[in-house]
């Protein structure tokens, strides 16, 4: 039975959401038949399953709920906003009961007791007008039973009985199972052959049945045809003794049987044809698939790397094969990722309830509109999105939207509006929460941040920077910790959660008009397209979606500002130029921009940035290995990956880079991260896969690394006066 | 040869239970989520018995029964409807449409098998 329970709970989750959506529409005045019916069906279906598992409290509650909904469905009852709210709360109760059942806890009597009363009151007031009174299968069991009565039965089907698919022969068969049956066929009504209609029944039967079964069981055989035939059932002799209720007791046993039978049934189940269009698959299995595909991508890029070294007469054909493989790998990978993708709807639909709860707690009125619910995103991302999004929504209602009276004083509608939207943009999902509340009080935020020493007192901040202070650890805008969004966790936790998903969060506020909080998250956490670049002997990966172009800058394009920041003219704009060798302390890199390459990047928020590298090595799909699980978060680095030749490369975090300056801390962290990731080079074995030259180079790398780690002073020096040779001096020409 | 039963229900739990019980008793089972899907499956595969829920999206049980009865292949096929409680109006509507009989939810596996056997004859 347990295996069905699991399905049941999963299904109920969908049902609850269905009901909730429908009820929310009803709350907004949509009493369309389809809407009401959808809610009714959801609750009805939950009740049906609950009955099968003997979740009696759920059955009782759902029954009352359903009864009231039925009145609405039949148009006998028109619910107002209050009643719709009652329905929504009832739905919440059903959800809670289900989750208690699922965790195998007992449902306390108190849950939903008030609501049950209210629902009953509605029902009884309705019943006054119309009493449908669902009749139960009450059996009048006062016929004493005994062994072997003899029954005379006359059974004359009406002409059209066969049209309902009822087969008289089967009914006789069922009777035969009850005991000893003698059948006499009546053919009196049989017309002449000419008039016989193949689909009409013209014959009847006289039966004599010797059985111990009670009359009700005999009647049961005729259950479906009572109204389709003439039927007489009469007892022939007088009962010699009683044997009451025995069969009843036997029937009770039935509910235990499936468990006992399950094992043998497996085979039968597997052979049966499956007509369903979708199946539920355990997430672990999909993850295993995703991992395997990830490993295959690595293996394939190793293969690609090796083919390059083959002489053309051999390599040509193999290269072609590898080319095909690459294409198919990409398709395979996209298909696998699509399996994991789910519409964000499942997260969005949780939000109305949260808003209701918060509104009730703080006395506000907020309406929610959602857009882009069908936007798909990886399931893991989706699941990890629930908490931050819930928190942000709570925060918007609690701190963003004003109370009705405040709103009216400000000349706004008494109810606030929160808009939740999702869309895809350049390989990421962008979620926006827009409220029309009071916005962020910048002077208060700034004052608080200074009080708490989150920023230096004399620091000049832009408006946007001030707004985003709310994400700083230790910052909480509410004067006192509130019931709703307080509890000691603040927006900094939200940011931490989002960042750990490779996402970013930003808030933009217009005082008096409201806030827009923007979440940007990767669509998948497993694979991405990257450009592999070299800086000295190090390899880095730049996310392809961030790359605009790469070019070798002319002499005049690079300038150094007075604060030491390099800028470069790209596409007519001054863009900050970040020399990667400088930030990560790589010594054997090209120092002169004119000899290396500049790659122009754009981060998700549209900000442009240029990085300086030695060379571009190629574009490939890389499997993302989280840095955090292996080491810790390093600024400017989002993750690590393993390249075709087995080397570890770090994946650069573009927005992170734009705010970075070279510092000893980062160089050290970076060196440590590289070592930590280097130790988990799991997949590719490098045996025999490398030329001597490469191995030698690798040895050099190791020496370099340790040298760098020990000589941080030298690096710092290097930073202030980076060019050591004449060429480089020229390359860094300073324009004012 | 074993009989093929189609279960039509928008509730996966119900479909699973019906399907599990019947397969255990040696029946072949086809599953459909609603009337529309049922009709489309039945246009290419034959079911000897149909068990349908009444309240379903897209096409409800009553319409499905009517549709099936209008097809030559399913004029006399036993069609059982699943109802909650002994709802007489539903039963009457089903009968009107040509339903063979009904099963009251919640049902136990034994009862389901008994009814299927009664209308299917095996």
């Amino acid at each position: 039975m347990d295996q069905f329970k699991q399905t049941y709970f999963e299904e109920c989750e969908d049902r609850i959401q269905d009901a909730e959506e429908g009820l929310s529409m009803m709350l907004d005045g949509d009493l369309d038949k389809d809407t009401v019916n959808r809610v009714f069906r959801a609750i009805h279906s939950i009740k049906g399953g609950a009955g099968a598992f003997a979740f009696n409290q759920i059955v009782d509650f759902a029954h009352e709920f359903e009864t009231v909904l039925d009145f609405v469905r039949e148009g006998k009852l028109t619910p107002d906003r209050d009643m719709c709210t009652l329905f929504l709360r009832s739905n919440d109760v059903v959800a809670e009961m289900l989750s208690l059942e699922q965790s195998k806890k007992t449902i306390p009597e108190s849950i939903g007791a008030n609501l049950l009363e209210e629902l009953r009151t509605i029902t009884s007031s309705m019943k006054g007008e119309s009493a449908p009174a669902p009749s139960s299968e009450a059996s009048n069991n006062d016929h004493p039973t005994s062994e072997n009565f003899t029954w005379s039965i006359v059974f004359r089907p009406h002409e059209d009985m066969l049209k309902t698919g009822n087969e008289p022969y089967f009914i006789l068969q069922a009777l035969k199972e009850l005991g000893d049956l003698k059948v006499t066929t009546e053919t009196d009504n049989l017309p002449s052959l000419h008039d016989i209609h193949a689909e009409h029944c013209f014959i009847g039967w006289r039966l004599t049945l010797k059985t111990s079964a009670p009359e009700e069981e005999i009647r049961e055989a005729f259950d479906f045809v009572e109204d389709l035939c003439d039927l007489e059932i009469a007892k022939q002799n007088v009962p010699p003794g009683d044997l009451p209720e025995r069969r009843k007791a036997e029937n009770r046993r039935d509910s235990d049987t499936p468990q006992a039978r399950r094992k043998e049934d497996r085979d039968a189940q597997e052979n049966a044809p499956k007509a369903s269009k979708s199946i539920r698959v355990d997430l672990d299995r999909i993850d295993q698939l995703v991992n395997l595909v990830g490993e295959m991508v690595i293996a394939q890029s190793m293969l690609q790397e090796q083919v390059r070294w083959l002489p053309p007469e051999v390599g040509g054909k193999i290269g072609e094969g590898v080319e095909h493989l690459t294409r198919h790998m990409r398709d395979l990978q996209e298909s696998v990722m699509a399996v994991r993708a789910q519409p964000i709807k499942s997260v969005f639909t949780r939000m109305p309830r949260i808003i209701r709860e918060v509104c009730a707690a703080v006395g506000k009125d907020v309406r929610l509109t959602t857009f882009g619910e069908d936007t798909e995103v990886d399931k893991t991302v989706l699941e990890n999105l629930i908490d931050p999004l819930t928190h942000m929504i709570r925060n918007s209602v609690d701190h963003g939207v004003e109370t009705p009276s405040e709103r009216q004083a400000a000349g706004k509608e008494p109810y606030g509006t929160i808009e939740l939207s999702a869309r895809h943009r350049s390989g990421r999902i962008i979620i926006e929460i827009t409220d029309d509340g009071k916005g962020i009080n910048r002077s208060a935020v700034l004052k608080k941040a200074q009080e708490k020493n989150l920023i230096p007192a004399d620091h000049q901040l832009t408006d946007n920077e001030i707004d985003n202070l709310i994400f700083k650890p230790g910052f909480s805008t509410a004067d006192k910790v509130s019931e709703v969004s307080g509890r000691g966790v603040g927006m900094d936790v939200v940011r931490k959660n989002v960042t750990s998903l490779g996402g970013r969060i930003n808030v933009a506020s217009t005082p008096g008009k409201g806030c827009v909080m923007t979440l940007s998250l990767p669509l998948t956490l497993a694979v991405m397209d990257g450009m592999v670049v070299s800086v000295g002997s190090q390899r880095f990966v730049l996310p392809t979606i961030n790359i605009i172009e790469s070019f070798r800058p002319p002499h005049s394009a690079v300038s150094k500002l007075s604060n030491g920041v390099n800028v470069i003219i790209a596409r007519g704009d001054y863009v900050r130029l970040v020399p990667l060798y400088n930030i990560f302390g790589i010594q054997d890199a090209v120092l002169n921009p004119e000899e290396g390459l500049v790659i122009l990047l754009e981060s998700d928020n549209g900000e442009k940035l240029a990085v300086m590298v030695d060379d571009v090595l190629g574009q490939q799909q890389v499997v993302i290995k989280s840095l955090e699980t292996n080491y810790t978060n390093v600024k400017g680095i989002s993750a690590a990956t393993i390249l075709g030749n087995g080397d570890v490369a770090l994946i650069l975090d573009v927005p992170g880079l734009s705010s970075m300056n070279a510092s000893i801390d980062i160089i050290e962290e970076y060196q440590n991260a590289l070592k930590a990731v280097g130790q988990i080079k799991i997949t590719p074995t490098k045996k025999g896969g490398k030329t001597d030259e490469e191995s030698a180079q690798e040895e050099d790398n190791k020496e370099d690394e340790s040298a760098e780690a020990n000589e941080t002073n030298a690096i710092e020096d290097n930073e202030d006066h980076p060019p050591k040779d004449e060429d480089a001096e020229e390359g860094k020409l300073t324009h004012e | 040869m074993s009989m093929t039963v189609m279960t039509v229900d928008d509730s996966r739990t119900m479909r699973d239970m019906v399907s599990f019980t019947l397969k255990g008793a040696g029946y072949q089972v086809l599953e459909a989520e609603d009337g529309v899907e049922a009709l489309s499956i039945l246009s290419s595969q034959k079911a000897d018995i149909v068990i349908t829920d009444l309240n379903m999206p897209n096409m409800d049980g009553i319409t499905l029964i009517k549709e099936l009865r209008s097809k030559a292949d399913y004029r006399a096929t036993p069609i059982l409807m699943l109802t909650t409680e002994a709802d007489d109006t539903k039963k009457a509507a089903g009968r009107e449409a040509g339903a063979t009989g009904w099963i009251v939810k919640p049902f136990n596996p034994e009862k389901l098998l008994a009814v299927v056997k009664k209308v299917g004859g095996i």
Side-chain angles (χ1 to χ4, degrees), chain A residues 431-491:
Chain A
I431 297 163
E432 278 182 354
I433 302 171
T434 312
D435 70 59
D436 65 346
K438 56 180 178 280
I440 292 175
N441 183 342
R442 293 210 178 99
S443 57
V445 166
L446 195 58
K447 192 159 154 261
K448 191 155 220 162
Q450 281 163 347
E451 273 170 16
K452 296 197 169 185
N453 284 328
L454 298 173
I455 46 162
D458 55 345
H459 208 66
Q460 285 296 314
L461 294 173
T462 64
D463 283 352
N464 192 258
E465 280 170 334
I466 296 172
D467 288 347
N468 283 285
L469 283 175
I470 61 167
F471 296 117
K472 282 259 181 200
F475 190 91
S476 159
T477 41
D479 294 332
K480 50 182 188 272
V481 172
S482 74
E483 251 310 279
V484 182
S485 43
R487 299 207 192 103
V489 287
M491 296 299 277

Side-chain angles (χ1 to χ4, degrees), chain B residues 13-89:
Chain B
T13 315
M14 276 299 158
R15 283 205 308 276
D16 272 5
M17 306 252 300
V18 171
S19 165
F20 179 82
T21 308
L22 292 176
K23 281 173 184 166
Y27 292 91
Q28 306 264 353
V29 181
L30 299 173
E31 295 183 24
E33 274 183 29
D34 56 41
V36 176
E37 196 188 355
L39 284 178
S40 112
I41 293 171
L42 291 179
S43 65
S44 58
Q45 300 181 66
K46 172 88 176 130
D48 302 301
I49 298 173
V50 177
I51 302 177
T52 178
D53 190 23
L54 289 182
N55 204 337
M56 294 181 294
N58 299 327
M59 182 191 287
D60 66 11
I62 301 287
T63 316
L64 173 65
I65 296 170
K66 283 184 189 153
E67 286 285 331
L68 285 175
R69 285 287 180 241
S70 71
K71 294 183 192 310
D73 281 352
Y74 290 96
R75 289 177 77 145
T77 303
I79 304 177
L80 295 166
M81 49 190 183
L82 285 171
T83 60
T84 346
E85 285 105 35
D87 186 337
D88 287 336
T89 49

Side-chain angles (χ1 to χ4, degrees), chain A residues 15-32 34-40 42 69 84 87-88 91 349:
Chain A
R15 297 287 175 182
I16 289 282
Q17 252 175 35
D18 250 8
E20 170 140 0
E21 268 176 45
L23 286 170
S24 300
M25 285 159 77
M26 286 166 67
L27 186 71
D28 294 338
D30 175 3
L31 293 176
D32 190 71
D34 285 345
T35 311
V36 181
N37 211 358
R38 181 169 155 206
V39 177
F40 177 83
L69 285 171
C84 287
F87 292 165
L88 277 162
N91 193 42
T349 45

Side-chain angles (χ1 to χ4, degrees), chain A residues 637-661:
Chain A
I637 306 283
S638 61
T641 190
I642 297 162
L643 297 177
N645 62 10
D647 280 352
V648 171
L650 297 176
I651 301 170
L652 295 172
D653 173 36
V654 175
L657 277 180
S658 64
S659 60
M660 277 176 80
N661 288 310

Side-chain angles (χ1 to χ4, degrees), chain A residues 153-173:
Chain A
I153 303 165
V154 180
F155 171 41
R156 295 190 185 106
H158 296 163
E159 266 190 6
D160 54 359
M161 191 180 104
L162 300 181
K163 280 186 183 162
T164 63
N166 276 294
E167 171 57 60
Y169 173 64
F170 296 154
I171 296 171
L172 303 188
Q173 236 181 4

Side-chain angles (χ1 to χ4, degrees), chain A residues 492-531:
Chain A
D492 60 313
V493 179
V494 171
R495 179 154 77 175
K496 199 168 151 269
N497 288 348
V498 171
T499 317
S500 70
L501 287 173
R504 270 174 288 282
I505 190 168
N506 182 61
V507 61
S509 147
T510 315
K513 293 256 173 68
C515 271
V516 185
M517 286 198 262
T518 310
L519 268 176
S520 150
L521 291 158
L523 288 180
T524 160
L525 301 175
V527 191
M528 61 166 228
D529 283 317
M531 185 80 84

